[in-house]
Amino acid sequence: MNKQKFGTAPVFFTAISTILGAIMFLRFGFAVGMVGLAGTIGIILIGHAVTIPTAMAIAEIATNQKVEGGGEYYIISRSFGLVIGSTIGMALFMSQAISVAFYIMAFTEAFKPLLDWLRETYVLLPWVDRLLGYPQTIGIPALLLLTLLILTKGADLGVKVLYTVVATLALALLAFFVGTTDYAQENSVEFFNSYTADAEVTAQVLDGLVDEAQHSSGTDTTYYPGGEVVARAADPPPATPPAPAIPQLSFFTVFAIIFPAFTGMTAGVGLSGDLRDPGRSIPRGTLAATIGGMIVYLFMAWKLAASAPPDALADTTNLIMADIAWQGWWIIPLGLAAATISSALGSILVAPRTLQAIAADNIFPARGINHYLSRGKGERNEPYNASLITVVLAAFFILLGALDSVAEIISMFFMVTYGSLCLISFLNHFAADPSYRPTFRSKWYVSLFGALACFGLMFFMNSTYAAAAVVLIGVLYVYIAHSNPDKRSLALIFQGVIFQVSRRIQIFLQKADKEEKQGWRPSAIAVSNATFTRLGAFDFLRWISQKYSFGTYLHYINGYLSHDTSEAAAVTKERIIRMAEATESRIYVDTIVSPSYTSAIAQIIQFPGIAGTDNNLLLLEYSKQTGEGLDDIIDNFKLIKSVDFNIAILGLSERGFGLKRTIHVWITRAHYESANLMILLAYIMTGHADWRNAEIRLFAVFEESKLEEEEQRMYDLIETGQLPISRNNIDVLCRQDNTDSRSVIARKSGEADLVILGFRDEALKRLKGDLFAGYKEIGNVLFVNAAGEVQIR
């Protein structure tokens, strides 16, 4: 037997029977009475401005990927990842389970005329009369009977029952549209007649629209079957009769009450695991039900407005459709029963499948819970255990009663779900993934509008419930993320979006006029073959890349590119990525396999800038203690300078970066062109939290003849804000010809955590390794060579 044997019809019938459900019978006339025909049409159009984009998004996603059990949860979790997907999925399950209770409670309203007839016809015992007054009297047995049928017969019986209830629903709608009424605007219900001189008041009220609370206190009121009310005042009545107490509600308050009528279009998606071809059945059934439901509601609004006055429509105690429909006294209650039981049936079919799919993804912290809830029954894996949990939740809310407030919260969760589906469609359009090839395509702006409308309308409907829904979803997310640390990553959909944003930014920056840049910022690239033994270059790059610049770190692997070296590079890259994550670094890491250091440098200096701008700073490192790595740097310096790179060479000592409290910058006229770059790198480092308490000290060494002039020049730069150093942190020293500068630096900066020095190309060519010698008494040293003057603005 084919496990997935249903076609398009069950999707359509499940959705349309939920759309044309309890709200249509019990509250749609109320909407017309409160906001009028034009306002009701506005509610319908605004509501479908949310549901139609969602239906189109579902149709699009379903025709691109295989939609398995779980329906909306499956789509969201496979697009946003299991943590976010299961968070929304749990909220969706709760709303579906509570919907079962809501529809069962509405189902009991269909029996109200029968119960009233029993009370009027027979003398009932007091306890029986009280028992019949509770909706739970019918609701709980109805829920248990429905559960028994579903658990014993499964979804197959549920679909068969759908055909019957949809036929009954169609009959009720036909009777409503062909029916006529004696209502007329000029003969609107008179809630109060003029009081007579002897204080006797007679009010004609159709079907008991006015209850005892609307009459003046202290009256004895008698109700008659025909609707006539005779009230005799015990005390003299007031001179002016009070106006009818019909509450005035805002447009969006009425919208919030009516909106659940439009939220059933995704009910059929939950049957995705039981369909032969979900990619075909879900789009067709969902879109047909959405459009069909909108058309029915538009005609209903017109029919109601033309058939009864606003005050009669606005009364929620009267089933106004029964007064309008042909044979409405029995057809409309029957239709209400069919619509609500079918909606409850649809919800009780879908909710357990959502819970089963969540448990199948091992989201719950206990393995036993996941196993219990995911276990099915029979060849078609009916969610037996998940159904039991759903029924228990539904019974709990039925016993609570008064679900109006709960229904609004349900709407919030549905809005979150619909907004997520529209957002998935929009992000897939924006990401332009070649593997995203749906046979049905929505428009990106339709999906974006649907997402914004969903999240915006939540707060227009009820800001308190919207905030509560957001907080609850946030708590669920934190809990699920904590319980599933291996499922924290977001879905690939965001990688596609980030790729597109990065691609467009890079193209934009490449086309931009480089001469118009207002300031220089590092786009640094670092390379080392000793990443795991000398962390200095990695740390320095992550410090300067935290806030002001962009960094790329490359681990050099000596060798020829082969299958073995490629695998080794992948393992090393993953290890460095974990290092970057552990230190919360904002750098891009990679590996490079090359047969020599020279060939690696030749490739690296030609790397395109990841940030969309050309790389402008190359960071190299060596060990001050052993000299390891220094010869390679010196031998390839000419190659590096061939492309006018700014170069920073980090000499690493055993002291490391110490307490990260002091940075000393040494400037002389011999390498004055590198001064701005040196100062800027020191300042950028203090933007990282590790160096936030660091003090930058500037030591300027000049000949005696230039001393006063250069000192004043630096102070002027401070005054104009171009030199980000305090005046008290500048020491201007006189250069002595017979004094070794290294000894002066050792004396002044012996305890500094980082010393920054400049050097010239000519000095390196002449002195080679001796240029970097003589600094053993101080800690880490950064030697800087600027390709050109860097502006500090």
Side-chain angles (χ1 to χ4, degrees), residues 644-717:
D644 291 330
F645 255 87
N646 297 300
I647 302 175
I649 302 172
L650 186 60
L652 298 170
S653 69
E654 293 181 346
R655 283 171 48 184
F657 289 97
L659 299 176
K660 306 179 185 64
R661 290 297 182 92
T662 53
I663 301 175
H664 287 186
V665 181
W666 284 81
I667 298 174
T668 67
R669 289 188 62 82
H671 42 75
Y672 198 76
E673 63 274 6
S674 298
N676 284 351
L677 178 57
M678 296 158 61
I679 295 170
L680 194 59
L681 289 175
Y683 175 74
I684 289 174
M685 284 190 66
T686 60
H688 192 280
D690 291 352
W691 290 85
R692 64 177 176 270
N693 296 320
E695 178 185 59
I696 300 175
R697 294 196 64 85
L698 179 61
F699 296 90
V701 182
F702 301 107
E703 296 86 354
E704 186 175 359
S705 60
K706 297 286 186 181
L707 195 63
E708 185 176 344
E709 176 185 344
E710 293 296 339
E711 182 177 16
Q712 185 60 46
R713 180 176 177 273
M714 288 190 182
Y715 291 159
D716 290 342
L717 291 175

Side-chain angles (χ1 to χ4, degrees), residues 61 65 73-86 88 420 423-425 427-428 431 433 435-436 477 486-500:
I61 299 168
Q65 67 184 53
Y73 162 72
Y74 183 87
I75 292 173
I76 295 172
S77 63
R78 270 46 178 185
S79 298
F80 283 143
L82 289 179
V83 173
I84 294 179
S86 58
I88 299 174
S420 300
L423 187 59
I424 290 170
S425 173
L427 292 176
N428 275 314
D433 188 347
S435 63
Y436 188 71
Y477 175 81
D486 58 327
K487 300 184 178 73
R488 286 181 183 271
S489 60
L490 294 178
L492 293 176
I493 187 172
F494 284 107
Q495 293 187 15
V497 172
I498 293 171
F499 167 79
Q500 290 296 331

Side-chain angles (χ1 to χ4, degrees), residues 171-247:
L171 176 63
L173 287 173
L174 179 62
F176 169 72
F177 282 113
V178 301
T180 59
T181 177
D182 293 333
Y183 282 109
Q185 189 68 38
E186 62 272 18
N187 294 322
S188 298
V189 177
E190 296 290 336
F191 287 94
F192 294 89
N193 288 336
S194 298
Y195 286 92
T196 59
D198 62 353
E200 179 172 309
V201 181
T202 303
Q204 299 297 326
V205 181
L206 180 63
D207 292 332
L209 291 178
V210 178
D211 58 19
E212 185 174 357
Q214 289 176 303
H215 291 275
S216 301
S217 59
T219 61
D220 297 324
T221 307
T222 304
Y223 289 86
Y224 295 93
E228 180 179 308
V229 178
V230 177
R232 296 187 179 276
D235 300 314
T240 304
I246 300 177

Side-chain angles (χ1 to χ4, degrees), residues 402-463:
L403 290 180
D404 288 343
S405 297
V406 177
E408 288 193 61
I409 297 179
I410 292 172
S411 297
M412 299 300 160
F413 291 134
F414 275 124
M415 290 293 256
V416 170
T417 304
Y418 296 167
S420 300
L421 292 168
C422 290
L423 187 59
I424 290 170
S425 173
F426 167 72
L427 292 176
N428 275 314
H429 277 279
F430 188 79
D433 188 347
S435 63
Y436 188 71
R437 300 186 300 275
T439 57
F440 174 89
R441 274 197 175 272
S442 180
K443 300 293 184 181
W444 68 266
Y445 47 84
V446 173
S447 299
L448 177 60
F449 175 80
L452 295 176
C454 286
F455 298 128
L457 282 173
M458 286 176 61
F459 290 90
F460 275 107
M461 292 163 64
N462 191 312
S463 58

Side-chain angles (χ1 to χ4, degrees), residues 5 26 52 71 75 132 158 212 385 491 519 569 593 637 642:
K5 63 180 183 178
L26 298 176
I52 290 178
I75 292 173
L132 292 178
E212 185 174 357
N385 295 335
V593 179
F637 183 78
S642 67

Side-chain angles (χ1 to χ4, degrees), residues 573-635:
K573 179 180 177 180
E574 184 61 32
R575 187 177 174 186
I576 301 173
I577 290 175
R578 289 197 297 269
M579 285 173 50
E581 290 177 344
T583 54
E584 298 182 353
S585 303
R586 298 176 182 176
I587 59 176
Y588 179 81
V589 302
D590 209 338
T591 56
I592 182 170
V593 179
S594 191
S596 69
Y597 190 83
T598 300
S599 61
I601 290 295
Q603 295 176 64
I604 290 168
I605 61 178
Q606 299 178 73
F607 268 32
I610 302 298
T613 57
D614 295 335
N615 293 317
N616 55 26
L617 176 67
L618 179 62
L619 175 64
L620 306 172
E621 60 84 28
Y622 73 97
S623 170
K624 284 176 57 181
Q625 182 180 10
T626 64
E628 181 184 356
L630 183 58
D631 290 341
D632 286 332
I633 295 172
I634 295 172
D635 293 343

